[in-house]
Amino acid sequence: MAVDPETRTYAADAEPGREATLAGWVHEIRDLGGIAFLILRDTTGKIQVKFEKDELDDELVETALNIHRESVVSVAGAVEAEDRAPTGVEVVPNAFEVISPADPELPLDPSGKVEAELPTRLDNRTLDLRKPEVEAIFEIRAEVLRAVREQFRELGCTEINTPKIVATGTEGGTELFPITYFGQEAFMNQSPQLFKQLMIGSGLERVFEVGPIFRAEEHNTPRHLNEATSIDLEAAFFDAGDAMDAAEAIVTGAYEAVARNCRSQLEALGLAEFSVPDGDFPRLTYEEAIERVNATGELAEPLVWGDDLSTEAERALGGAVGEHYFVTEWPSEIKPFYIRDLADDPDVSTGFDLMHPSLELASGGQREHRHDRLVVGFEQQGLDPAAFEYYTKMFRYGMPPHAGWGLGADRLVMTMLGLENVREAVLFPRDRQRLSP
Ligand code: AMO
């Protein structure tokens, strides 16, 4: 009984009065003596298969009831209405085939009756994803990325793909992963920053990318990954305010799409009361932000101008603001060389961060597009402008002013669903301890 994807019936589509061939995993077998029930699970849900032993072929009954749960099987038979069945229908089989048997001992219980710790779940991600509340996270993640792409289209952006093997780093503060590139030193890219900016001088003008970024973060925290997915925007003639407007549209659009199209997944996660942010996020200057943090009295040491926001500071501020917000006008000295300073104050930058009350989601700003200033910025940050010649030279051939941001997709999903650890939003996370699977 080969399973034909064209004619196969899914559990959710089985209608009484029809003959159907179904395929999936054995979720559960309940043998009550004269009668037994097998619950078959596929990507759409579950369906009951009834074995009235006296009425069925002995060999069929024997095959079906002696396999272990989580085996992959196919069943052909009549679909009948049955009020007592969990979904109101059941299948009376006339053929049964074991397609791929499962071992009796499983490293993880996909029914969720026995809970597993996150490392065990990640070691056995395939089985972990058989749980509806885990599958739901990744269906929602896919919807977030679909919605993000749709929003970018509305903004007139073109999707690009930039190299992940590069010659130089761009983001100070986090280390690079070195690799050997035909005997030459190279690195895994920390951000598409320079490449997306190079596109601003091209005819594309507004670009976006969804792709991996690599950060050799030493610390192991619930919010840091060594390989993350970044959603990046860069747009010609945008200033920081325009870039923040775009971030609001993208984030709110993702929430709206999930609220509209992922009802059953939200229910599986216990999030039936899912609320969509209003899309008008407060914009606090850095100066206002540190004042508000200090006013909470939650920090042992008050913040002073020039300090970065620590995790504790972010928490205190998030608690005080209580919704998504931006921190704008950061001190220039703690923002990267490519961020432009305010026209009237070189100590203050156009850089901004987009914050969820619990953590940072994105950072961005208007860029320095004036060639001479850009080169000075490199030197001030201790970088050799010669190593970045491929980038800086394009600022000599007509580069419009521009702005953009990078938004962590993993953190967006994590905060949207209230997950405690960003690893839960990543299929196969990379961290200090984890290089496989
Ligand atoms: P930044 O370094 O702030 O900015 O990164 C942007 C966003 O990417 C996510 N992110 C991470 N997520 C999980 N684990 C990590 N180790 C990690 N590192 C970064 C965060 C963060 O806010 N080039 C600039 C962006 C720009 O100016 O356009 C940049 O990379 O959500």
Side-chain angles (χ1 to χ4, degrees), residues 357-375:
S358 62
L359 50 71
E360 179 198 310
L361 283 184
S363 54
Q366 187 175 342
R367 318 307 188 179
E368 183 51 79
H369 74 285
R370 296 162 298 181
H371 179 264
D372 49 339
R373 309 280 181 102
L374 188 62
V375 172

Side-chain angles (χ1 to χ4, degrees), residues 170-172 174 190-194 196 213-217 219 221 223-234 335-336 338-339 352-354 359-365 367 403-412 422:
T170 52
E171 309 302 318
T174 59
Q190 293 171 307
S191 157
Q193 184 64 38
L194 306 190
K196 63 178 181 169
I213 57 170
F214 303 90
R215 307 275 174 113
E217 311 267 5
H219 38 297
T221 78
R223 55 175 63 191
H224 286 97
L225 295 160
N226 293 109
E227 177 176 350
T229 299
S230 183
I231 300 167
D232 275 87
L233 163 78
E234 207 61 36
K335 282 290 172 190
Y338 51 76
I339 300 278
F352 60 81
D353 282 1
L354 167 60
L359 50 71
E360 179 198 310
L361 283 184
S363 54
R367 318 307 188 179
W405 41 254
L407 163 68
D410 321 287
R411 288 188 181 182
L412 177 60
V422 69

Side-chain angles (χ1 to χ4, degrees), residues 47-94:
I47 189 165
Q48 173 167 295
V49 186
K50 180 174 72 179
F51 298 85
E52 275 178 312
K53 294 182 189 172
D54 288 348
E55 320 250 315
L56 299 178
D57 175 61
D58 287 346
E59 206 184 307
L60 183 151
V61 172
E62 174 93 352
T63 311
L65 301 184
N66 281 317
I67 48 162
H68 301 295
R69 66 198 180 97
E70 298 303 322
S71 296
V72 175
V73 301
S74 64
V75 187
V79 181
E80 293 180 357
E82 170 54 70
D83 288 345
R84 288 165 295 176
T87 59
V89 292
E90 65 184 8
V91 180
V92 177
N94 55 43

